[in-house]
Amino acid sequence: MFTCMTHSPAETAQLAELVGKKIHEGTVLCLVGDLGAGKTLFVQSLARTLGVEGEVTSPTFNLMNIYEGICPIYHFDLYRLETEEELEDIGFYEYTDEPEGIVVIEWPDKFPDSLPEDYVEVHIERIPGDETGRQITVSSIGEEYEPFVKELEKLVYLSH
């Protein structure tokens, strides 16, 4: 696990680009943060780095968007869901149990028991008193992504 600070949306986007340069197919990435924290900005920058050319938006009403880049990106937004049964209705487990491509989940904390055993969590928090500042913590939940998070930490600190 590591924590870094960003002081503008551009710096948050740069962090997402670094993630995009190191992420690999089969990764589940969970984005945690309040409304307006920067989760969708993070996904947009990640997707651009992975070659997505079209519009990247939060799937708040669709619940899931699929983007085609160098590999498919399955982008879930669980904000509007109320029950775990709704996850099944949208095919959530088909994408997260044995992911092909990259799975990005906004609002994963609504259904913590439904998440896979291993995933990368990116927690984005506003810095009090700094309108555009964010504290971003990247963690490996489970053991599978520990090497990825360690490699990403080195890359982040080398780029600063």
Side-chain angles (χ1 to χ4, degrees):
M1 172 176 77
F2 70 93
T3 299
C4 63
M5 309 297 245
T6 63
H7 301 286
S8 68
E11 286 184 13
T12 300
Q14 288 173 340
L15 177 62
E17 289 171 14
L18 292 175
V19 172
K21 290 176 182 176
K22 290 296 176 186
I23 202 166
H24 54 81
E25 287 188 61
T27 301
V28 176
L29 184 70
C30 293
L31 300 175
V32 178
D34 293 336
L35 283 171
K39 297 182 299 295
T40 300
L41 169 70
F42 197 95
V43 177
Q44 290 168 335
S45 299
L46 175 76
R48 297 268 177 273
T49 303
L50 294 170
V52 175
E53 294 180 6
E55 188 177 8
V56 175
T57 60
S58 184
T60 302
F61 295 100
N62 298 344
L63 305 178
M64 181 184 77
N65 289 337
I66 301 173
Y67 306 113
E68 293 298 332
I70 57 174
C71 69
I73 301 169
Y74 305 98
H75 180 196
F76 288 92
D77 185 329
L78 308 183
Y79 183 73
R80 293 182 62 236
L81 297 183
E82 298 297 325
T83 66
E84 290 186 26
E85 289 76 32
E86 290 173 291
L87 291 174
E88 200 147 323
D89 292 344
I90 63 171
F92 180 79
Y93 302 108
E94 295 169 30
Y95 293 98
T96 60
D97 285 351
E98 292 185 32
E100 295 178 13
I102 295 167
V103 178
V104 179
I105 306 167
E106 293 188 48
W107 299 98
D109 42 328
K110 286 194 73 171
F111 303 101
D113 295 337
S114 297
L115 298 175
E117 190 173 310
D118 294 285
Y119 58 92
V120 176
E121 181 178 275
V122 177
H123 192 119
I124 305 172
E125 295 180 85
R126 288 186 172 95
I127 298 172
D130 183 349
E131 186 66 31
T132 59
R134 300 294 184 262
Q135 176 177 300
I136 301 173
T137 303
V138 181
S139 314
S140 173
I141 307 302
E143 296 178 7
E144 182 177 343
Y145 297 112
E146 284 179 9
F148 169 77
V149 171
K150 286 183 193 304
E151 186 178 347
L152 184 60
E153 180 180 17
K154 288 178 191 170
L155 187 62
V156 166
Y157 287 114
L158 286 175
S159 69
H160 279 69

